[in-house]
Every structure is written in structure tokens, then in C-alpha cells.
Amino acid sequence: MSRPAPAVRRRLSMMLASTAMIMGYTIMDIQTASAAQPAPAPAATAPAGDNPMLAKWTGPFEGVPPWDKMDPELFPDAFQKAMAETKADVQAVIDNPAEPTFENTHVPMMLAGDTMERLFALWGVQTSNKSNDRVEDIDAEWSPKLTTFYTELFLDPKLFARYKAVYDKRNSSGLNAQQIRIVERSYDEMVRDGANLSAADKAKLVQMNSKLEGLFSAFSSKLLGDEKLYTFVTDKNELAGLEPGFVASLASAAESQGKPGQWAIKNTRSSAQPVLQGATNRALRERVYKAFISRGDNGDANDTNATIVEILKLRQQRAELLGFPTHAHYRMADTMAKTPEAAMGLMMKVWPAAVARVKEEVADMQAIADAEAKAGNGPKITIEPWDYRFYSEKVRKAKYDLEESEVKPYLQLDKLRDAMFWSAGQLYDLGFRENTGTIPVFDPKVRTFEVYNLKTNKNVGVFYLDNFARDGKRSGAWMTTYRSQQTLGGERNVLASNNNNFTEAAKGEPTLISLDDAQTLFHEFGHGIHYLLQHVTYPALAGVPRDFVEYPSQVNENWLMTPEVLSKYATHYKTGEPMPQALVDKILASDKFNQGFNTVEYLASAIVDMKLHDRKTPPADVDAFERETLAEMGMPKEIVMRHRLPQFGHLFSSDAYSAGYYSYLWSETMDADTWAAFTEAGGPWDRTVADKFRTILLMTGNETDRAEAYRAFRGRDPDVSALLRKRGFPVE
């Protein structure tokens, strides 16, 4: 699941746990530096001058980001001045002579740092969507400085004293339930992140956080370096089995790399996976597979192993300094699962059934390979990891008379975009009007849409869609907001974005995507829906726990395969005819196909993540730890982890998903149980269930405990049996 979800945007009152949270970055957006550096002294005055990175956003929709004015060289000056403004905002709270109250402490802190929030919306795009060597250099210099600045700012004992004073009187000062929740969560988080440490230990924490930011940057830069590489093909015959449109895109990529007449397969999932799935040339599959799974693990300048070792050491030292037994306990303190044991408990309920299913899948594939060899249609082989996707397609054809190549002509990217918009309208009254060309964008291929309420025509915000891979854009798919909703300080609309890495079709042809890519499209849009529907008063209650984040997005994947969506939007790119019902039936009949592979590939990464961080002594040899842990788990040799540790950006380009990759399964348990609620009510478009889902879970941020909110929606805790049934695994 290389779909990292968005970072929860927290305003200053909750910006304490990590730089990713502090700065409101998208998950994995931080690509920072290598060595701790002292924080610069803030300028004496608030931001001024004509730096467009600091200006309040103007234009329609309550102001939009000035992407057309974005220039890497403007950011260092902007960082310095925005830090000064933030420091002044916080200092005004600290210096207030009045007795601390919610209104004079929490409220101004939630409204502080507005310039910095806008700045980091811009910088997040600069580093994730439009990076280059100069951007990496600036990031390397400034992220450790900014980390030090924020860590020191929120470890100020006078600031903590004000929070503690409000906390101590929270039950006798007339606060409502939401205000008490903010007071308690803010206080707990400050304590968890070092507010009670001695001055000497606070200094150690500042150094650790700053050094970690540098290591995150080093990891991200190395990984990006390997993902910029290509596997070049000089003989078109080697590409047999691949779709003509995809082959044409490889030719275009080679030409852009100065090698016309060749074909270039970029070292990213979106380029490698179609080759592993469709190429009949086994040697090419092996070459592409080995290049892809070896990212960050080649013993060269881009090798990440030593960087990971240092990250793990620092994480454990920090956890112990803060009073936690392990980094996993530290990171999970504010999650639904609460403890590593609870997360592992869920994963191990699913793992044995998934491994057993993989053995069945491999046997089916091996039988086909053996039959082909016996018939003289190929050499005798043993199924290897670079064969799994290829032969699974043969099994799909044999069992269900279904091939990916049969489905893909009906999956036009633009049509599926319209489908996800239509679905959001049917379920949540969200409307989308394209307004591309009327507001600035950061790349010519970014499309924009005004979002409005279909019943009231009231503006909700703007949706930015950046669909295609390019140099300087990190891999994977993600969602973020450039501005999030809140009522405090005046109602704000939402500027949301989805970012994918689809391979664009050759000029003049529609972009066709795989069923997996279509699920990714709907998944990321589910994150967008979550933020577009949010309606909270206090930004401190906007951010949901890590293991809730993926829940709305995973639920949204379900609508892709509904008959209503397929009949209206899954139309053949040449004939315009809708997908035949016979083909739809075959897809639905195969919906549990290959679930062993899908589950083991993901779950292996999640279990290794937890075992890596739930230990007092970090491993000194990352590759050996990975091998030995997988062997202990009984990992099938025919599958590799979805993210091997040397390239596991979720874990090592920030703290955000560390000891947290399990959250996809935690969320999917709620997803399966939620989809069952729609099914029980009569179907996927039941507005009674959709309204409950929207009002109880999607609109409310973190205003109440999310486990309690789920119980209010479903009437009980989520049932893991729904997940097992959805994947076709035995249910006890």
C-alpha cells in the first residue's frame, strides 16, 4: 500500500510530536538534512517586504496559493521571517500577565503561526511535487534549523506552566466537552514530548530531533536518487506482452532522457508493476524486479542502510529519554490501538490465513508453469518473486476467464475521475466544477475543480489533482490540504489535493489505468472527502489518530466496483460502450482473487515495522534483521515485502508512519465493517447510512474519542470477521 495518507494538519497548540506534525507537512513530504545545526536567531520584526511566499493568499475562494510565483530561492528568507512571526505570536501568549485561561492561552495558540502554515503548504509542494537539487540543498540546510526552532519553542517552561494552569482547573472553569478535550490532549502531548524534562535533557531532545530531521533528509534524498534511475530496453521485442499505450509511454520517457529509439522503465512502482504483470520476457521481469526491490540497498552512494541504523538508535534513545520503553510505545500512545501488543494482536489474527492462501496461489501458478513447460511452451521454472504477478494473471484467466488487458480499455483516467466526483455527490452532496486555467497551479498538468454543496451551491473549497509521474516528484500517491477547515477565527474553506504517479498516455491518447490504479484513485479521493466534509470549531480537534487516518480512504475504494459507477463511467476508450455485464461479473467473481499475495505483501511490511521499533536494542544490520524476521514469520519466498526496509519511506523519511504501518489493517477492519453496514441496509447508496457515516465520523475530526465515535455509528466495536470474509479467509 504505497499510498501514504496525508499528515494531520495541526495548528500550533498541537504541534509537538514531530516536525512532520509541527509543520503541517504531508506524510513523507519532509526531505531534510544530515546534521544538526543551531537554530538561527529570529529576526526582530514580523514578516515584511515583498516576498510572495509570505504574502496572504489572494484571488477567489478566500485566496489561493501563488504557485506561479513559487521559487526555491525565496524560501530561506521566508523561513527566517515566518519563524520570527511565529515566535512573536507564541511569546505574546507567554508574556500575557493575566491568569491563564482557555481563551487567553489555547485560543491564541490555535490561531498563531498563520504565515508559517501557508509557507509550509508551498514548501511541501516544492519538496514533494517539484523537487530538484537546489530544493534538496535548501531542505538540507533549513529543516534541522526549523526542527530546533519548534522543539525549543514548545519546551519553554513558561508556556508549559500556562498549559498546566489551565489543565489543573479544567473541570471547574466552565469549559465545554470539546474545550476540556483540547486542554487534556494538549497537556498530555506536551508531557509526552518532554515538557517535564530537566533543562539538560531538553537540550538533548532538541539535538536528537534536529539530527533525526537531517537523517530523514539523507534517507529521502538517497531513495529519490535511486528512483530517478531507469532500466533501458534497446530491443522492442523484449517488451512483448505489454500494452501498446504503455510501450509508447516508455518510448517517450526514453526520448526525454536523451535516448530516442529506446524504451525507459523508471525505477518506480507505477512503471515496474506493469512490466512484472505483463512482460512475457522473464529476463526483463527479473531485471526490473531486482532494480526495484534493491532501491537504497546497492552499497553505493544511495545506500540507506547506515542512515536507517542511525535513525533507529536515535529513536530509541529519544523514547527512553521521554520515559517510554520503546519507540513503538512512544508513537502509539495517542492511537486507537494504544499499544504494540494490540496492533500485533490484530495482525497475527490475519497473518496465518494470508500465508496459507499464498501457498494455494503459488501452487496454482506452478501448475500452469509446469503445464506450459510440458507442452513445450517454455522452460521448466520454479515460481520466483518476479513471476508472481505474471503467473497470477494466467491463473486469473484460467479461473475466471479474466485478464487485466481485458479490463484496462474500460478504465479511462478522466472518466474515473468523473466517477469519483459523481459518487461523492450521491453520498455527500459534494459537487465539482472544473476551473483549470483560472487559478495558479504548480505544473501545467495539474487540474483544478471548484468544490460546492449540491443542495445549497455554497462553496466548500478547491480540489487540485496532480495525476502524473515526473522527475522531481516523489513516488507513491498521497493527499494533503493547503488549507484546512476550521470555525475558530472565521470559517475557512478547504484547499485539498490528490497526488498520483500514473504513467501518462502518449500525446492524443486517453490515459488508461489498471484496476489497482483505479483503486488508488478512489482511495486518495477518500482522504480528500474526509477533509472536504470536516466541520470542526477548533483546529486542535481536526487531526485524527494515525490508525484512523486510512479508514475514510479505504471505505471509499468500495464504490469503484458498484454497478452504478461501472455502467456510467467504465466505458471503452475506442467504442464508448460500457463495460459488458459479463466482464463486470467476472471482475466481481474474482474480487477475492490474489488476496493472499496482497495481504502478505502489505502485512509483512507492517509486522517488520512493529518488530523493528518495539525493541530496546535497535539492529546494527538492517538487511540481516529483515531477513531473519521474515524467516521467523514464515514469509513465503515467492513474495517480497511491499516496502523493504532500505526503501521504506513511510518509516524513514519522517516519524509519521514509524511503528504505524499497521494502521492500514486497523483502518481496513473498520472499513470492512462499515461496508457491511451499507450492505445490511440494502446497498452502497443508502443515504441513511451515508449520513450517519458523514455526520458521526467524517465531519467531526477528533472532537470525540474515535473508538467511541465508531461505536456510535455502528452500535458496537468493529468486527474483524468482516475483514476476513472480505478477503475470502476462513472465519472462526
Side-chain angles (χ1 to χ4, degrees):
M1 295 191 178
S2 58
R3 305 192 279 247
V8 176
R9 290 177 69 80
R10 298 184 177 186
R11 303 273 303 192
L12 297 180
S13 66
M14 300 294 282
M15 291 174 174
L16 300 162
S18 69
T19 301
M21 295 300 185
I22 286 168
M23 299 178 184
Y25 276 143
T26 312
I27 297 303
M28 294 173 61
D29 274 357
I30 300 174
Q31 299 173 346
T32 49
S34 56
Q37 299 185 35
T45 59
D50 57 0
N51 189 327
M53 300 299 93
L54 297 171
K56 289 186 177 181
W57 296 347
T58 60
F61 310 114
E62 300 177 20
V64 293
W67 303 117
D68 53 334
K69 298 177 182 176
M70 192 165 66
D71 180 347
E73 300 302 335
L74 296 172
F75 282 98
D77 171 70
F79 288 143
Q80 183 76 43
K81 291 175 179 176
M83 285 165 61
E85 183 189 78
T86 301
K87 173 64 175 175
D89 289 345
V90 174
Q91 196 64 47
V93 175
I94 293 172
D95 292 341
N96 189 335
E99 178 183 356
T101 65
F102 182 85
E103 291 297 328
N104 68 22
T105 300
H106 286 272
V107 168
M109 288 293 286
M110 282 186 276
L111 294 173
D114 191 60
T115 298
M116 186 66 88
E117 182 171 325
R118 292 195 307 273
L119 180 60
F120 276 113
L122 299 169
W123 187 239
V125 166
Q126 186 73 78
T127 55
S128 290
N129 303 68
K130 300 287 289 184
S131 188
N132 55 40
D133 290 345
R134 179 58 181 147
V135 171
E136 291 182 26
D137 288 344
I138 294 171
D139 220 7
E141 176 186 358
W142 277 91
S143 282
K145 293 179 180 180
L146 288 156
T147 300
T148 299
F149 168 73
Y150 274 107
T151 304
E152 290 179 341
L153 188 66
F154 289 104
L155 288 176
D156 188 309
K158 294 180 181 178
L159 180 63
F160 179 59
R162 293 190 68 88
Y163 274 76
K164 186 177 186 304
V166 179
Y167 175 83
D168 289 342
K169 296 181 179 180
R170 66 192 184 282
N171 293 319
S172 59
S173 52
L175 301 180
N176 64 32
Q178 288 190 19
Q179 292 166 341
I180 290 175
R181 183 167 173 79
I182 291 170
V183 169
E184 291 179 343
R185 285 177 54 77
S186 299
Y187 176 81
D188 289 347
E189 190 167 4
M190 293 183 87
V191 171
R192 190 165 61 244
D193 288 319
N196 278 333
L197 294 177
S198 67
D201 283 345
K202 285 180 180 178
K204 290 179 183 177
L205 180 61
V206 169
Q207 292 176 346
M208 288 177 183
N209 284 344
S210 183
K211 189 172 182 181
L212 275 167
E213 285 306 311
L215 292 166
F216 296 153
S217 170
F219 175 90
S220 298
S221 182
K222 291 171 187 287
L223 181 57
L224 185 60
D226 271 2
E227 290 181 342
K228 290 178 180 177
L229 302 178
Y230 291 83
T231 296
F232 287 95
V233 175
T234 56
D235 182 356
K236 190 175 183 180
N237 291 326
E238 290 187 46
L239 303 176
L242 300 182
E243 295 172 357
F246 180 66
V247 172
S249 72
L250 301 182
S252 297
E255 187 169 357
S256 72
Q257 293 299 307
K259 294 190 176 184
Q262 297 188 30
W263 296 264
I265 304 165
K266 197 171 185 181
N267 202 19
T268 60
R269 190 175 302 277
S270 61
S271 289
Q273 190 161 305
V275 176
L276 297 175
Q277 190 166 300
T280 59
N281 187 309
R282 192 176 188 228
L284 177 64
R285 295 202 308 269
E286 182 177 1
R287 189 155 60 109
V288 169
Y289 167 85
K290 288 184 174 178
F292 182 69
I293 66 139
S294 297
R295 290 166 298 148
D297 197 27
N298 295 301
D300 56 12
N302 286 332
D303 193 283
T304 63
N305 284 279
T307 305
I308 292 171
V309 168
E310 290 303 308
I311 289 173
L312 295 174
K313 285 180 182 177
L314 278 168
R315 279 176 171 166
Q316 182 57 24
Q317 290 170 9
R318 180 180 61 184
E320 293 177 2
L321 180 68
L322 294 169
F324 293 89
T326 69
H327 177 72
H329 289 84
Y330 167 59
R331 288 294 298 157
M332 294 187 68
D334 187 28
T335 62
M336 296 181 73
K338 301 298 183 188
T339 66
E341 292 77 19
M344 282 296 294
L346 174 62
M347 290 190 284
M348 296 316 297
K349 285 180 181 178
V350 179
W351 177 255
V355 171
R357 182 57 52 83
V358 166
K359 292 178 181 178
E360 296 172 5
E361 292 171 1
V362 171
D364 288 341
M365 292 187 287
Q366 190 65 57
I368 288 179
D370 291 346
E372 289 179 343
K374 187 175 181 179
N377 294 326
K380 184 171 178 56
I381 67 166
T382 299
I383 297 295
E384 298 285 355
W386 49 89
D387 299 315
Y388 207 115
R389 293 181 184 276
F390 180 74
Y391 277 93
S392 70
E393 286 303 304
K394 290 177 177 283
V395 173
R396 193 199 306 263
K397 176 67 174 175
K399 283 194 170 186
Y400 304 102
D401 191 27
L402 181 65
E403 294 179 286
E404 180 74 37
S405 60
E406 188 180 2
V407 177
K408 201 169 183 178
Y410 293 93
L411 302 180
Q412 300 177 63
L413 177 58
D414 285 350
K415 290 278 190 179
L416 291 172
R417 178 206 64 216
D418 293 343
M420 70 187 194
F421 288 167
W422 178 82
S423 299
Q426 296 298 302
L427 293 163
Y428 313 117
D429 299 320
L430 289 175
F432 296 80
R433 285 190 284 254
E434 183 159 14
N435 62 348
T436 301
T438 66
I439 58 176
V441 292
F442 49 82
D443 186 90
K445 292 180 180 177
V446 173
R447 299 174 76 168
T448 62
F449 302 83
E450 178 190 356
V451 188
Y452 62 100
N453 184 287
L454 286 170
K455 290 184 175 178
T456 66
N457 206 38
K458 181 181 177 181
N459 176 257
V460 174
V462 177
F463 181 70
Y464 295 76
L465 190 56
D466 184 16
N467 269 333
F468 300 117
R470 60 175 169 272
D471 287 342
K473 184 179 181 181
R474 67 173 174 83
S475 63
W478 67 98
M479 176 269 169
T480 191
T481 58
Y482 309 135
R483 181 173 63 225
S484 295
Q485 180 275 336
Q486 68 187 57
T487 300
L488 186 69
E491 183 69 53
R492 306 195 318 175
N493 66 8
V494 179
L495 304 180
S497 75
N498 276 181
N499 308 269
N500 300 298
N501 269 284
F502 302 137
T503 301
E504 188 176 16
K507 189 174 182 179
E509 295 292 324
T511 295
L512 304 178
I513 61 177
S514 67
L515 194 57
D516 183 67
D517 282 343
Q519 290 168 338
T520 296
L521 187 74
F522 270 65
H523 176 100
E524 296 306 330
F525 187 57
H527 286 305
I529 289 171
H530 189 190
Y531 282 85
L532 288 165
L533 291 178
Q534 177 182 287
H535 196 270
V536 300
T537 298
Y538 298 111
L541 294 179
V544 296
R546 164 54 47 212
D547 41 15
F548 187 94
V549 166
E550 297 300 330
Y551 165 47
S553 56
Q554 290 180 188
V555 171
N556 200 60
E557 291 182 34
N558 290 285
W559 277 278
L560 170 64
M561 292 305 300
T562 57
E564 293 82 359
V565 166
L566 293 177
S567 63
K568 287 173 64 70
Y569 298 101
T571 58
H572 196 282
Y573 77 104
K574 287 185 177 178
T575 67
E577 292 295 315
M579 185 181 288
Q581 187 59 46
L583 180 56
V584 173
D585 291 342
K586 289 192 289 185
I587 295 172
L588 295 176
S590 68
D591 68 343
K592 296 178 178 61
F593 174 72
N594 225 31
Q595 282 298 323
F597 173 85
N598 293 336
T599 305
V600 165
E601 184 195 43
Y602 154 71
L603 204 49
S605 296
I607 293 172
V608 169
D609 164 37
M610 192 59 69
K611 287 181 175 289
L612 184 68
H613 289 107
D614 186 21
R615 50 186 288 138
K616 291 183 177 294
T617 304
D621 185 331
V622 174
D623 279 342
F625 175 84
E626 179 181 298
R627 279 194 311 273
E628 292 164 5
T629 302
L630 291 173
E632 291 170 3
M633 293 161 49
M635 177 73 168
K637 67 179 180 59
E638 298 86 0
I639 299 181
V640 70
M641 295 165 60
R642 186 167 181 87
H643 305 288
R644 290 194 55 237
L645 291 178
Q647 64 229 209
F648 209 159
H650 291 73
L651 305 190
F652 303 120
S653 55
S654 78
D655 276 329
Y657 274 86
S658 59
Y661 201 59
Y662 78 90
S663 60
Y664 286 94
L665 188 69
W666 192 273
S667 292
E668 192 167 355
T669 302
M670 295 187 288
D671 153 34
D673 197 49
T674 298
W675 192 242
F678 278 95
T679 302
E680 292 161 11
W685 308 100
D686 186 274
R687 278 301 296 251
T688 300
V689 178
D691 286 345
K692 284 182 66 178
F693 182 49
R694 172 176 56 85
T695 58
I696 296 174
L697 291 164
L698 297 181
M699 291 178 60
T700 53
N702 200 13
E703 290 181 336
T704 60
D705 179 88
R706 291 297 84 189
E708 294 177 5
Y710 190 88
R711 283 190 286 272
F713 164 67
R714 198 68 168 100
R716 55 168 172 73
D717 289 327
D719 181 4
V720 71
S721 298
L723 173 65
L724 295 173
R725 282 192 291 269
K726 184 178 180 180
R727 297 194 175 201
F729 297 161
V731 178
E732 295 181 359

